Amino acid sequence: MDVDGILGNRDSKLGKSSIPRRRQWVKRRETWLVILGVVLHAVYMLSIFDIYFKTPIVHGMDLVSPRFSPPAKRLVLLVDLEANFRAPFLRNVIKNQGRWGVSHARPPTESRPGHVAIIAGFYEDPSAVTKGWKANPVEFDSVFNRSRHTISYGSPDIVPIFCGALPHSTWATYPHEFEDFATDASFLDEWSFDQFQSLLNRSNEDPKLKRLLEQDNLVVFLHLLGCDSNGHAHRPFSSIYLNNVKVVDHIAERVYNLLENYYKDNRTSYIFTADHGMSDKGSHGDGHPSNTDTPLVVWGAGVKHPRPVTAKDHSDHVLRFIDQHLHDAPTPKEWDLDGIERVDVNQADIAPLMSTLLGLPCPVNSVGNLPLGYVDMKEEEEVEAVLANTKQILNQFLRKSQIKQSHSLFFKPFKPLASYFSMLNQIEELLSARDYKAAMQLSENLRSLALKGLHYFQTYDLLMLMATITLGYIGWMVFLVLHVLQAYTLLPGDIFRKEEAVHEKSNTGKAQLCGCLFMAVVSVLLFLEHSPPLYHAYFAMTIFLWTQILNEYKFIKALWRYLCGRKSDYVIKLLALGVVSVIILELLVHSFTERKLYTWCFLIVGAIASIYLYKSIPWRSGIPVFVCLTCWFLSLFTLMPAEIPDNNKLVNASGVMVIVIGLTGKWLDLNAGVNRFWFGICNHEKRKPRFPMLFQLQALFVGLSSVMVFLSTSHRTEKQELHTIHQLMNWFIAGFSMILPLFSENGLLSRLNSIFLGFAPPFLLLSIGYEAVFYGALGLVLIAWILFENSLLYVHKVNKSSASGKNLGEHAFLENDTRYLQLSDMRIPLTFMVLFNVAFFGTGNFASIASFEISSVYRFITVFSPFLMAALLIFKLFIPFLLVICAFSAITKLLEVPRIGCYFLVILCSDVMTIHFFFLVKNTGSWMEIGNSISHFGIMSAQVVFVLLLFALTNIYTKDIEIRSGSRDSRKVM
């Protein structure tokens, strides 16, 4: 009789002589595919660093010397967290002496990228991700580099970045130990001021130091960390923080008075700003306005005085700043600054502002626009300053264009700047004609085009690389589908014969030759363009995959004809399966950022599965209710916080829960086997077990682990240490319990029950709260999954046996009692993907190991040992995965489907998600957003290896599971 596989019927024309050859072909192809998958995902995982994290910094540009007299001889830069109404001196400056505004920072709103933007004029180098976001991988220019001398005092995390390798600098930092969150950190700000004051006092007795301080182009940088530290430790509305704001304001006043009395020449400019803001909770990093909006107060030499607000000053609400907030947003009334003009800037604009005030060339890597609202210069000088700023950005564009053109055979220039030279000449002519307004407008237009040109060359290869990687992933998935169809499904003999595919070399020769020639041409082109070695790897993998697909063109052509010849309802069923699969996988993608989706998933699936079973099972059964309740129980955990609160009583109760589940499973295994429904999964043979007391021993170990949770925690809490005997007991219980399942009976239910009990002690000992209950809930859902599949299998057999006596030969079998895959079997890898991801996010965020509590390991070790602690923590996270894969392996045996075929379908599903995450990788935003986007993509890319290794590990426990079925016995008789 005909039975639908994924795309067809049993090939009755396959002779017995072809089976050994076919098996060898499948084995070779499986090994080759696994190796190819590992290499492909490893290579493509690296592609994000060429696409998203390329440094914007280039070298080799000429400096642009300004053609105007500097308004200031020296500049003081004060960088703090923020100032508010408790800063009377700065408020007085805003109202009477200088200009003010909001400096808009770009996420990530952290200290290092903020200071890079302020001092160097460009935004966080995204390639710094490869250095752990702690140091720039490429040297960059800054205002300090251009100064004659820089004096700096402050944090050891910031000052050395800019002054550590600067020969013309005087700097010092306090020790890291000073940054103690348990204290009032305002003394750090006082330390910085005291160091600077001491330097000035020493100059009165040191002529050399005196001459150094009297030079022009001098920069003084005081990094005031107190508010940041106190904000983190005590929150921004605490009395300690608010007092620190007063301290900072007083320091700004003392610095101003100190320098004015020291120089007495009114040639000092002052800039007060912040690297980032802070939320009410004392955190920063993301793009919330409380983190991106920072104060900017500028006064002194070369700075305009305050100006009253007029209606014209707030007429433009279209332009957005780098943080995507509106231009000239209304000033909050609580600031009490409504009547004074506010000049907002992007954070990178501060660097050209400092350079202009000192008459220095702008940093060569700066992308900031000079904010004319702050500088007090003649109209001609203003145009010259903007022109110098424009030429500096244009030089970066020209250098990037030159580098790209020298390496590109088919160079595509940035057309809007094709006539940049004539634009520069026109500006010079307008300056000569004293048409300063037109010259200013043309300079600003040219600067805007240069910035767009920089972005054009920064993303020059992006489209090509993304297309290549996407085509590679699609090619890999198509190739996987073709392999699954050829190796694990039933197809009519007139479509495809395996033995012909193995030996038919002439049909593949042309495709191989074309692929090799195309790859050779691409390699030569890439070599001539001096492309990085990884570019060659990206193209090679993609071309190789599509060449292999072309090798199967006859099969694909015949398959298309076959599908066209099938009834429309079959094609609709196939398309519906594809659509449902993609929807499920897309929901899994979104679940990485929204764990609550799993709650809805299990609530809905529990109800649908129970209704389906209720209508399918012809007898009264409690299985539908059990499936529904277990799914609903598991749905609760993704509503709970990822930060697990301590609750040892819950851990102890979970031990009791695990034992009850184990007792129920043992009772079913011993008593339910007489029912034909339980025949395949229970211990149906009434022989004496090899180890009669094994279950009691495992239950004892679970109970002991619960007792040790209580004893270890209590003693550590009272004595502030882990008792040696407790530590040894915990290691022994955790280690020995995981060996015991190997000695259990080889029936499906008995072995899985033993595995569940065997991994419970280490998981309980590593638990601190509700995740221990999650272990039991996940075990119940896995049992429900097995019962659901067993119900479908039993109902199918009952229906077939009642319909015809020919059901003995209803399936064609591959080998080792595994049958060909059918269309409906796609539910197995999809269910596995859902449960596997629940294991990821059921009790936290696996993508960020920091979301898991380190105190989980304190029952095994308390002395700081990062590698052992990390290993224990990762092992705890892996235990739920092991349970899911053990259940998956058992189901493949129960349903007699090829496990390696299902593995390839799992990889196919995971790669659908991988492509989505590939497009979701971020190079802007907070460190957490950037890091999570990379880890999400990395986790899915690594599943081809990760799942395979877990399969190999769990195979130790599941390889000897035996399933007895009537159809199998019938085949043996036949």
Side-chain angles (χ1 to χ4, degrees), residues 567-597:
K567 293 180 179 180
S568 59
D569 61 339
Y570 183 80
V571 177
I572 292 172
K573 187 191 300 183
L574 192 63
L575 291 175
L577 176 65
V579 171
V580 170
S581 299
V582 170
I583 290 173
I584 291 172
L585 295 173
E586 285 300 303
L587 287 174
L588 290 180
V589 167
H590 290 289
S591 71
F592 272 63
T593 53
E594 186 54 62
R595 293 168 63 232
K596 292 180 181 178
L597 282 174

Side-chain angles (χ1 to χ4, degrees), residues 736-805:
F736 193 68
S737 65
M738 291 186 292
I739 301 173
L740 294 178
L742 297 174
F743 303 98
S744 64
E745 296 302 306
N746 54 14
L748 185 147
L749 188 58
S750 57
R751 177 56 60 91
L752 290 183
N753 193 38
S754 183
I755 292 170
F756 174 72
L757 291 172
F759 281 96
F763 195 84
L764 291 174
L765 288 168
L766 287 166
S767 296
I768 60 171
Y770 73 81
E771 79 271 35
V773 185
F774 172 79
Y775 180 85
L778 181 63
L780 289 172
V781 166
L782 294 176
I783 294 171
W785 184 23
I786 292 169
L787 293 178
F788 179 84
E789 295 293 347
N790 190 54
S791 300
L792 296 183
L793 180 65
Y794 184 75
V795 169
H796 175 73
K797 288 179 179 178
V798 169
N799 292 338
K800 287 291 182 181
S801 62
S802 61
S804 172

Side-chain angles (χ1 to χ4, degrees), residues 268-539:
T268 307
S269 298
Y270 302 87
I271 294 180
F272 177 91
T273 188
D275 48 354
H276 56 75
M278 182 171 282
S279 70
D280 293 346
K281 295 181 179 180
S283 62
H284 54 81
D286 60 23
H288 191 273
S290 63
N291 295 326
T292 61
D293 292 355
T294 61
L296 177 62
V297 183
V298 187
W299 73 99
V303 180
K304 290 179 179 176
H305 285 273
R307 195 175 73 176
V309 172
T310 63
K312 185 179 178 181
D313 293 322
H314 289 80
S315 60
D316 184 7
H317 293 277
V318 178
L319 179 65
R320 287 182 179 270
F321 286 95
I322 195 71
D323 57 2
Q324 299 302 310
H325 300 158
L326 288 173
H327 174 65
D328 280 346
T331 302
K333 291 186 177 181
E334 58 267 25
W335 291 6
D336 192 24
L337 295 172
D338 298 24
I340 303 170
E341 183 186 18
R342 167 180 154 188
V343 183
D344 285 10
V345 301
N346 285 320
Q347 198 169 54
D349 299 342
I350 297 174
L353 173 61
M354 291 192 289
S355 298
T356 299
L357 290 173
L358 290 171
L360 298 171
C362 288
V364 294
N365 307 117
S366 171
V367 294
N369 296 328
L370 174 64
L372 288 174
Y374 285 88
V375 293
D376 185 15
M377 303 170 73
K378 297 177 182 177
E379 189 177 12
E380 178 184 359
E381 292 177 331
E382 283 187 351
V383 177
E384 289 287 1
V386 171
L387 181 59
N389 182 205
T390 299
K391 287 180 177 178
Q392 168 265 320
I393 296 174
L394 184 63
N395 281 350
Q396 290 184 75
F397 162 79
L398 294 174
R399 179 60 179 158
K400 283 198 172 188
S401 177
Q402 178 190 1
I403 292 172
K404 183 54 67 176
Q405 186 172 10
S406 65
H407 292 167
S408 298
L409 296 176
F410 309 101
F411 177 69
K412 294 180 180 179
F414 183 64
K415 292 181 180 179
L417 280 178
S419 58
Y420 76 92
F421 195 73
S422 63
M423 295 177 72
L424 286 174
N425 288 335
Q426 188 178 353
I427 292 171
E428 294 293 346
E429 291 172 1
L430 290 170
L431 281 171
S432 300
R434 303 198 176 201
D435 189 351
Y436 300 127
K437 186 175 181 181
M440 176 70 76
Q441 186 168 0
L442 193 56
S443 296
E444 290 176 341
N445 291 340
L446 181 58
R447 181 176 61 188
S448 178
L449 288 174
L451 288 170
K452 291 178 181 177
L454 285 176
H455 182 264
Y456 172 79
F457 285 114
Q458 180 67 21
T459 59
Y460 189 86
D461 294 330
L462 185 142
L463 185 61
M464 175 194 70
L465 289 176
M466 294 193 80
T468 302
I469 301 301
T470 303
L471 281 173
Y473 275 121
I474 293 172
W476 163 252
M477 291 190 292
V478 170
F479 195 46
L480 270 185
V481 170
L482 292 176
H483 171 71
V484 170
L485 293 177
Q486 293 173 14
Y488 311 111
T489 63
L490 293 165
L491 293 167
D494 57 350
I495 289 185
F496 189 67
R497 293 186 181 182
K498 302 291 191 299
E499 66 269 21
E500 291 177 5
V502 174
H503 298 292
E504 198 174 302
K505 302 294 182 183
S506 59
N507 292 334
T508 63
K510 291 181 181 179
Q512 296 281 9
L513 180 61
C514 291
C516 290
L517 288 175
F518 185 55
M519 186 62 242
V521 171
V522 171
S523 296
V524 170
L525 291 175
L526 291 173
F527 178 78
L528 292 175
E529 291 194 347
H530 304 281
S531 298
L534 279 175
Y535 280 34
H536 293 262
Y538 304 148
F539 279 93

